[in-house]
Amino acid sequence: MRNQKPETRNQKILLSGNEAIAKGAIDAGCRFYAGYPITPQNEIIAYMAQHMPEAGGVFIQSESELAAINMVFGALASGARAMTSSSSPGISLMQEGISYIAAAELPAVIINIMRAGPGLGNIWPAQSDYFQAVKSGGHGDYHCLVFAPASVQEAYDLTVLSFELADKYRIPVIILGDGMLGQMMEPVTAEAAEKPQRPQKKIWAATGCKGRKPNVVKSFYLNMGELEQFNLKLQEKYQDIRHREQRYETFNTDDAEIILVAYGMMARLAKKAVESLREKGHKVGLLRPISLWPYPADILKEIISRQPSVRFLVVEMSYGQMLEDVQLTVNGRVKVDFLGRSGGGVPSEEEIINRVRRIAG
Amino acid sequence: MASIKINREKCKGCMLCISVCPKKQIKRDEALNKRGINPVIFLDSGCNGCTLCAVVCPDMAIEVYK
Amino acid sequence: MKKIFSRTESLCEADTHYCSGCGHGLVHRLVAEAIDELGIREATIGITPVGCAVVAYNYWNFDCVESPHGRCLAIATAIKRLQPQQIVFTYQGDGDLAAIGTAETVHAANRGENLTVIFINNAVYGMTGGQMAPTTLIGQKTATSPEGRNAKNDGLPLKISEMLAGLAGVYSIERVSTDSPKEIFKTKQAIKSAFKNQMENKGFSLVEILSACPTYLGLSPLESMDWIRNTMSKEFPLGKIK
């Protein structure tokens, strides 16, 4: 482990995506981490092992990802800011726990540094856990906020934001990175380290009923109609979040005839392709979703109404998962094409450029 | 002298208290309770306040006075 | 005359949903009495399992957290680590602790978490309709061992307490029973000392309580008591294990 120089005001420090996420969590006031080793996110658990105790928090390497997510459940039930991280197979083990966390309305932050699958797959980057994160891989009608950083700085910033929004809405937040983002290093300005985070006290937490009626953190509603009422309340929360928390970035979309839609590291490659194509006179742009749930449907609809002849090219490190959300939003009004590779394959800039040329005809 | 108070609506008729009472002061009540089962009833003729009935009662249906 | 036996503060007035003669109701009271005698109600956090006792928080008058099946000790670990001055205990059935939750149990014990574990061993799965549990006896008929549990197909009754006793991190393990007032007094003392161990930072303390499930033993409450005394405790001997 490199030992870090002491941080000074607004100084840029060189961090890997994994380390930036771990540091962002601690800077955001996360004081509980439980995790289990799995490549390509091992730097997160290693960082937490070293720095969480220094920050006065609790670090536990658990016996499995199953135990890790449930330890996070316990930490959240205590009112602490808490996080776990893993990679695809480990996140699959956590799905039951995430459903319980959503149902108990606990503010979890869960990091998935995706690797190629299915099964043991390998440790190459991929985006093939999109459905699991966005459509919710556990049982029941619930959602997690899902963010996709496309740089190490953004990974840091979105981790800090995740803790704020998790508390604000009492909802689990998932950060979808991938092996590339986790391992690559970029300079980071750690603003949250300068602003001491004082997460507000959770009056609903299980801390001992001194001076109040007992609190119960649970998700079991057996009486007739009780669970349905609770679900309606959850759906209201999700509708509210859909309105307020759509995040995206656009690049050269105003006059674009073909707009690439890509997130995370894939968006970086797509942006390079857009720049090259623009130099050759092609009217091409990029829409980069930053929140994958809620999906940025509003901007998509806006673009379509402004440029009815626009076409979309969805580019993913999967065989078409975010593609379906674009198709759902576009609803057939304009053409949607797809370019995707998975299993560790990464669509190259050249492949994107060739596909755009073919579409442009 | 001592005595017990049986909450006959809370009683689920498990009869464990009858089996442990050293003075045979509890017996099955022929009248049903709201659950539609036969609870137990206190005979009040020689209870020594030993609390064994209350100790074995799974439903906190017995209070003991001495 | 003075009232010398009544409900203590940590036990709620509400009727329980448990079957007639079920051990859960009894042990809920013993836990509540122990907590009140130790004066720790306002500092206690209970973790309830998936099983018949899932809604134990309806009958206790202190903070509780409801756990997914088998995960009580992972949840309790985090709560205790974050709130070391509070008293954290899990209340688990044989399926929760010794089947699906075995890994969480073994590793919380091995880490020597300063926790109190109330382990109800009634040799069946009650909530789901009387299936075989890890502690079902050989020959015992259940919904999933209709011809009686047989070792070749279903393995032998799991001695989780003896297994855990071998772990250095474990401070105390005791097996007690609810088959008679005498045993119930011992159960009460065992529960109380398991809480006291935690208050004195002694480490992982588990109390295994042989308890009746008349409905799925197919016996009356009284016959269930005899069955525990004469049959079950032969397989699961009572006493201090560590």
Side-chain angles (χ1 to χ4, degrees), chain B residues 46-64:
Chain B
C47 165
N48 64 7
C50 72
T51 77
L52 291 191
C53 56
V55 162
V56 298
C57 173
D59 291 283
M60 193 60 240
I62 302 176
E63 287 181 336
V64 185

Side-chain angles (χ1 to χ4, degrees), chain C residues 8-240:
Chain C
T8 65
E9 194 183 3
S10 287
L11 194 64
C12 296
E13 171 56 31
D15 291 352
T16 71
H17 68 288
Y18 298 120
C19 307
S20 168
C22 167
H24 278 304
L26 174 71
V27 178
H28 285 16
R29 193 195 77 231
L30 300 179
V31 167
E33 286 171 358
I35 285 171
D36 289 327
E37 285 164 27
L38 293 166
I40 50 174
R41 184 182 75 85
E42 292 183 336
T44 295
I45 297 147
I47 318 299
T48 65
V50 167
C52 289
V54 57
V55 290
Y57 44 77
N58 289 342
Y59 312 129
W60 280 328
N61 184 19
F62 44 75
D63 278 7
C64 283
V65 175
E66 177 196 274
S67 165
H69 195 31
R71 313 307 167 207
C72 291
L73 278 165
I75 287 178
T77 294
I79 295 176
K80 185 66 181 180
R81 292 287 192 96
L82 283 166
Q83 303 182 73
Q85 73 299 345
Q86 300 302 65
I87 301 302
V88 183
F89 78 97
T90 70
Y91 184 101
Q92 300 176 258
D94 33 48
D96 200 271
L97 183 133
I100 191 170
T102 308
E104 280 74 14
T105 302
V106 167
H107 285 278
N110 195 56
R111 290 190 301 265
E113 303 290 346
N114 186 26
L115 291 171
T116 301
V117 180
I118 308 297
F119 165 33
I120 304 297
N121 178 359
N122 59 12
V124 283
Y125 281 55
M127 178 188 216
T128 43
Q131 293 79 13
M132 180 172 60
T135 51
T136 295
L137 303 187
I138 294 301
Q140 184 182 335
K141 286 193 170 61
T142 73
T144 47
S145 59
E147 306 309 320
R149 179 175 188 171
N150 80 60
K152 206 157 72 58
N153 190 56
D154 311 317
L156 293 163
L158 180 60
K159 302 283 174 42
I160 189 92
S161 288
E162 281 79 355
M163 203 176 99
L164 294 174
L167 300 175
V170 169
Y171 176 71
S172 100
I173 293 187
E174 193 170 357
R175 181 179 293 124
V176 288
S177 165
T178 52
D179 63 71
S180 65
K182 179 166 73 75
E183 292 305 329
I184 292 171
F185 284 123
K186 278 199 256 168
T187 298
K188 166 77 174 289
Q189 289 320 314
I191 291 173
K192 208 170 168 182
S193 71
F195 274 105
K196 225 136 127 286
N197 290 346
Q198 180 173 165
M199 293 166 78
E200 293 157 6
N201 284 318
K202 294 272 181 43
F204 190 86
S205 303
L206 181 144
V207 184
E208 176 179 347
I209 304 170
L210 303 190
S211 169
C213 174
T215 302
Y216 292 114
L217 287 176
L219 300 169
S220 74
L222 201 56
E223 287 160 348
S224 306
M225 295 295 159
D226 297 339
W227 181 79
I228 293 174
R229 192 178 313 120
N230 306 325
T231 310
M232 191 173 182
S233 52
K234 297 290 176 299
E235 186 63 50
F236 291 95
L238 306 183
K240 205 85 167 72

